[in-house]
Amino acid sequence: MTWETHPLTPDRFENFADVVNRTRRAHHCWCLSHRLRAGEIEHLGGGSREQAMRTLCERDHPPGVVTYRDGEPVGWCNIGPRAEITRLASSRLIRPIDDLPVWSIVCVVVRPGHRRQGVTAPLLEGAVAYAASHGAPAVEAHPVDPPDRMDLTMAFVGTKSMFDRAGFRVVGTTDAVASGMPRLIMRRYLS
């Protein structure tokens, strides 16, 4: 089994779409809702959420990474400098704990049909490596710690145990919730 993780550049957009929106629904999230404000999405896409995401792929810091198993796209991680994720940067519920210019993980998605098959470990490692290659001093995530299985509609935030296994540690709490559970601040230092 071969794993590869690559930034979401324009030439990989269809692979990303296969993971997050395989039926190409126009009003689907397209992994923008927790990254940008509605006005920014409109400005970037001219009414098309898909086009807004395509535009983000052309930036110096593409909006995340796609993980492949044996050449097939199986995972997506929305990651970037916190300062470039405007919904997070301006959040009153998930505030920074210090001035470190962290990169933040907004969303983690495993393609249907590939869940519970060990995709998140190489996906998170690839996302962290991508951030490190761009000089990130640390990567943060904001998961929950569910007592049981997570409601799939909110699973994109990830779980504490998933990030524990990837070397992240709890460094704070937030005022945000997902599926009625408090979201944590977990961090992995890179230097």
Side-chain angles (χ1 to χ4, degrees), residues 100-111:
L100 194 66
V102 299
W103 279 45
S104 296
I105 292 175
V106 177
C107 181
V108 176
V109 177
V110 175
R111 186 177 183 174

Side-chain angles (χ1 to χ4, degrees), residues 70-191:
D70 296 331
E72 182 178 4
V74 294
W76 158 252
C77 183
N78 187 327
I79 183 174
R82 181 184 171 104
E84 293 179 15
I85 303 171
T86 53
R87 287 281 306 263
L88 185 56
S90 64
S91 176
R92 288 185 245 157
L93 300 176
I94 303 175
R95 293 178 297 280
I97 60 168
D98 55 30
D99 292 333
L100 194 66
V102 299
W103 279 45
S104 296
I105 292 175
V106 177
C107 181
V108 176
V109 177
V110 175
R111 186 177 183 174
H114 300 273
R115 295 178 179 147
R116 302 187 63 79
Q117 297 177 23
V119 173
T120 56
L123 175 58
L124 291 177
E125 282 307 312
V128 168
Y130 168 61
S133 74
H134 284 81
V139 175
E140 280 187 356
H142 308 100
V144 295
D145 190 12
D148 298 310
R149 287 195 55 139
M150 181 92 180
D151 171 15
L152 284 181
T153 59
M154 294 305 291
F156 72 90
V157 303
T159 63
K160 178 183 180 294
S161 62
M162 181 175 87
F163 284 99
D164 280 339
R165 287 189 299 273
F168 288 70
R169 298 296 168 249
V170 175
V171 294
T173 58
T174 74
D175 292 327
V177 297
S179 291
M181 293 174 280
R183 293 180 68 182
L184 306 168
I185 300 173
M186 295 186 74
R187 184 179 279 185
R188 180 168 158 184
Y189 290 95
L190 305 179
S191 53

Side-chain angles (χ1 to χ4, degrees), residues 7 28 64 68 89 108 141:
H28 185 71
Y68 299 79
V108 176

Side-chain angles (χ1 to χ4, degrees), residues 31-60:
C31 218
L32 293 168
S33 299
H34 296 279
R35 177 176 272 275
L36 303 174
R37 293 186 182 107
E40 293 172 295
I41 295 170
E42 178 65 30
H43 173 75
L44 290 172
S48 167
R49 297 176 73 76
E50 177 182 346
Q51 184 55 49
M53 188 57 149
R54 286 182 183 276
T55 302
L56 285 180
C57 295
E58 298 170 1
R59 292 186 170 177
D60 288 341

